[in-house]
């Protein structure tokens, strides 16, 4: 946990305010020194309230009773061009990045025991459909005691998404979205009088894949 600085005691309300997902993301961003950029998803659970700060196309989902009851939205400048955070100092000035003030702020106030929270980068969500995520989660919940679910589910989700990412045939969320963008661009060019041919996307998307799983317990 993150402790408040200062020499005097802080009120519980001030402590809670300093530990929201957005405040923790802002603190990490201000301390970043490495040149580069990244998307970000940070969630924090306090009592039954989950706060989240999301930048870009990293996301999280909440699964309850075999249903995905919440999926965080993505933030994109254009297809395959997500919002990204970069260190306040040290990055090339001609490149435009976002900051925590651009984050999508989310609060879910009715989290329940047994809820499964899955965070992932776009390399994860680009390769598994919601039905795949639910199926794998369901299988792990049936086999594993609750204390083993986070580790076992993380491993199972990583393995399946990596398999899909290496495929060059079949469908995936990325292939579906990429094909939609190709069709949209072809239609635009044809309206402009150009004769174009196009190929649809197939298979998965090789990419970095990161998954974090948490289960709400008493």
């Amino acid at each position: 946990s993150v402790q408040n600085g200062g020499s005097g005691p802080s009120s519980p309300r001030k402590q809670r305010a300093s530990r929201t997902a957005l405040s923790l993301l802002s603190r990490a961003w201000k301390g970043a020194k490495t040149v580069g950029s990244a998307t970000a998803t940070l969630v924090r659970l306090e009592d039954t309230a989950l706060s989240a700060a999301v930048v870009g196309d990293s996301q999280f989902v909440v699964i309850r009773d075999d249903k995905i009851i919440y999926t965080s939205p993505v933030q994109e400048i254009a297809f395959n061009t997500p919002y990204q955070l970069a260190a306040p100092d040290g990055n090339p000035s001609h490149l435009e990045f976002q900051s925590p003030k651009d984050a999508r702020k989310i609060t879910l106030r009715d989290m329940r025991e047994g809820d499964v929270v899955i965070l992932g980068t776009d390399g994860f969500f680009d390769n598994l459909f919601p039905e795949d995520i639910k199926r794998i989660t369901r299988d792990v919940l049936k086999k594993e005691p609750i204390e083993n679910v986070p580790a076992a589910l993380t491993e199972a989700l990583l393995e399946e998404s990596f398999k899909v990412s290496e495929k060059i045939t079949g469908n995936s969320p990325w292939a579906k979205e990429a094909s939609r963008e190709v069709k949209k661009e072809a239609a635009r060019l044809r309206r402009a009088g150009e004769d174009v041919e196009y190929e649809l996307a197939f298979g998965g998307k090789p990419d970095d894949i990161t998954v974090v799983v948490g289960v709400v317990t008493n």
Side-chain angles (χ1 to χ4, degrees):
S1 62
V2 179
Q3 301 296 326
N4 280 339
S7 57
S10 299
S11 70
R13 179 172 294 181
K14 284 185 177 180
Q15 288 182 346
R16 285 195 296 271
S18 71
R19 298 178 187 177
T20 64
L22 181 60
S23 67
L24 293 172
L25 181 62
S26 297
R27 187 180 303 181
W29 175 74
K30 289 175 182 176
K33 304 298 181 185
T34 303
V35 175
S37 62
T39 62
T41 295
L42 193 152
V43 302
R44 183 177 188 275
L45 181 68
E46 183 169 0
D47 298 325
T48 60
L50 181 148
S51 67
V54 178
V55 179
D57 55 5
S58 292
Q59 295 176 267
F60 75 95
V61 298
V62 179
I63 298 179
R64 175 185 298 164
D65 297 330
D66 201 31
K67 296 184 180 70
I68 295 180
I69 63 167
Y70 184 80
T71 302
S72 64
V74 301
Q75 294 176 307
E76 289 184 323
I77 298 168
F79 173 66
N80 213 31
T81 309
Y83 282 23
Q84 295 196 62
L85 295 176
D89 301 311
N91 278 281
S93 59
H94 68 283
L95 298 178
E96 182 178 347
F97 297 106
Q98 285 68 49
S99 72
K101 68 180 176 58
D102 299 302
R104 174 90 63 166
K105 297 172 280 296
I106 299 161
T107 302
L108 306 179
R109 299 190 182 280
D110 187 29
M111 299 296 291
R112 302 177 188 176
E113 185 173 10
D115 286 351
V116 178
V117 183
I118 301 171
L119 295 78
T121 56
D122 64 316
F124 170 68
F125 286 102
D126 278 345
N127 286 299
L128 290 186
F129 286 105
E131 288 302 318
D132 299 322
I133 296 172
K134 287 196 300 180
R135 170 181 51 80
I136 296 167
T137 301
R138 181 168 58 247
D139 290 347
V140 171
L141 286 173
K142 285 180 181 178
K143 295 176 184 176
E144 298 289 344
I146 198 68
E147 63 270 19
N148 293 348
V149 167
L153 182 53
T154 298
E155 187 65 29
L157 291 169
L158 282 170
E159 182 178 347
E160 185 67 18
S161 57
F162 181 70
K163 283 181 182 177
V164 175
S165 75
E166 294 191 307
K167 291 182 178 180
I168 59 174
T169 60
N171 202 8
S172 68
W174 171 80
K176 186 176 179 179
E177 184 65 22
S179 294
R180 183 184 297 123
E181 289 296 318
V182 167
K183 289 179 181 178
K184 187 189 301 181
E185 179 63 11
R188 184 189 69 80
L189 292 172
R190 284 171 178 166
R191 286 194 301 270
E194 297 188 38
D195 185 18
V196 296
E197 295 182 359
Y198 62 87
E199 294 183 1
L200 299 179
F202 294 98
K205 181 187 179 186
D207 203 350
D208 58 288
I209 300 172
T210 301
V211 179
V212 177
V213 175
V215 181
V216 178
T217 60
N218 266 330

